[in-house]
Amino acid sequence: MKYDVYGVGNALLDIQARVADTVLTDLHFAKGIMTLVDEPTQEQVLGKLNGVKLNRCAGGSAANTIMGVSDFGGNAAYVGKVGQDEIGECFLGDMRKMGVSIDSKPVDGRTGTCVVLITEDAQRTMLTNLAVSSQLGPEDIDESEIKKAKYVYIEGYLFGGEPTRSAALRAIELAKKAAA
């Protein structure tokens, strides 16, 4: 096996900010949950964080897990959809810097982002814009890559709609076939 774990998920660039609880109250977002939002909502929120230091890094449920596997010395691979933009380049660069094998080909459109508002008690309030990550489909799942993996990790958020649900089911089908 070439990979310990092969991950399938929404490729998102996290934009993290440490904020006071009052910021969440002012923005009218419930603390500690993930909310799907559009790009203008994210821009509005970021515009209200004057002077707050922002940290950007590759993110998304499966990507975070895969980077953890790699950070602990495992061999990991990942598939997700990114756009042909600076955000997508940053995502891919972060993953590769951690040693993750990622062969996602950028597509037209904007890479998904997640504004992560972190309060003093370490609660994370996530405002997620899936953008092109929501276009991950069964055709993006590479059977030859899955055959190289001991385990396949699929994030649960993919089951929220199409075509990501079909991508997740295809990965499951191919993993079962490879294990037989």
Side-chain angles (χ1 to χ4, degrees), residues 74 86 90 93 105:
E86 183 270 334
C90 185
K105 292 172 183 41

Side-chain angles (χ1 to χ4, degrees), residues 11-178:
L12 305 171
L13 189 74
D14 284 351
I15 305 167
Q16 303 166 338
R18 295 199 174 273
V19 300
D21 283 337
T22 56
V23 171
L24 296 178
T25 303
D26 293 345
L27 293 171
H28 306 290
F29 285 106
K31 183 177 178 177
I33 65 167
M34 189 279 290
T35 304
L36 291 175
V37 298
D38 58 15
E39 185 179 350
T41 300
Q42 281 186 334
E43 289 174 1
Q44 180 184 31
V45 168
L46 291 171
K48 293 182 179 189
L49 300 179
N50 296 328
V52 174
K53 182 183 174 202
L54 301 177
N55 178 55
R56 296 180 349 152
C57 60
S61 178
N64 289 339
T65 298
I66 292 305
M67 289 196 342
V69 168
S70 185
D71 196 30
F72 282 117
N75 292 321
Y78 178 83
V79 65
K81 277 266 201 224
V82 297
Q84 291 179 334
D85 54 13
E86 183 270 334
I87 297 168
E89 288 175 24
C90 185
F91 177 89
L92 294 172
D94 277 1
M95 295 289 280
R96 290 178 179 136
K97 205 178 315 176
M98 288 298 298
V100 174
S101 176
I102 182 167
D103 193 27
S104 296
K105 292 172 183 41
V107 297
D108 287 337
R110 188 171 188 275
T111 299
T113 51
C114 182
V115 173
V116 184
L117 305 174
I118 307 164
T119 51
E120 294 270 334
D121 58 359
Q123 287 288 320
R124 298 173 308 142
T125 302
M126 298 175 283
L127 310 176
T128 305
N129 176 11
L130 295 173
V132 299
S133 73
S134 67
Q135 297 172 15
L136 182 72
E139 68 281 356
D140 298 307
I141 308 303
D142 186 340
E143 182 173 9
S144 66
E145 289 295 289
I146 286 183
K147 284 180 179 179
K148 297 175 191 174
K150 186 186 286 187
Y151 298 102
V152 175
Y153 178 88
I154 301 165
E155 75 180 54
Y157 288 119
L158 295 181
F159 290 93
E162 289 297 338
T164 57
R165 182 179 188 281
S166 291
L169 292 173
R170 178 72 175 149
I172 291 167
E173 172 191 328
L174 294 174
K176 286 180 178 179
K177 181 180 172 185

